[in-house]
Amino acid sequence: AVLYCGTNGLLKEVPLEKVPQFEKEFLTSLEASYRHDVLDPLKKGELDDRIAAILEKVAEDTVATLKQ
């Protein structure tokens, strides 16, 4: 999930020193809300448009919290 963010430019607004914080908060959000919808399929190598949209939304929300 984090690699998806990095390779798709979703971390471009995250300062390098905040990347570990982003990773922790991003994965915590996914674990809490999207374990079965996103993380389980990703572990099986599955990635579709629905999963990508969720990853992008959670990443966007996480970046926004880091800016506050």
Side-chain angles (χ1 to χ4, degrees):
V2 175
L3 289 175
Y4 179 88
C5 292
T7 59
N8 287 283
L10 303 175
L11 298 176
K12 65 184 175 208
E13 295 182 32
V14 179
L16 188 57
E17 66 273 4
K18 289 194 174 188
V19 170
Q21 181 182 354
F22 169 87
E23 181 178 0
K24 181 179 178 184
E25 292 181 22
F26 176 71
L27 292 175
T28 298
S29 294
L30 288 176
E31 282 283 340
S33 302
Y34 300 103
R35 170 179 270 157
H36 300 294
D37 295 337
V38 175
L39 294 180
D40 290 347
L42 283 177
K43 289 176 185 175
K44 297 175 189 172
E46 300 171 15
L47 177 64
D48 59 24
D49 291 340
R50 182 185 59 80
I51 293 171
I54 293 169
L55 290 173
E56 291 171 16
K57 175 66 174 137
V58 173
E60 180 183 309
D61 293 346
T62 304
V63 169
T65 64
L66 292 177
K67 289 182 174 182
Q68 296 176 356

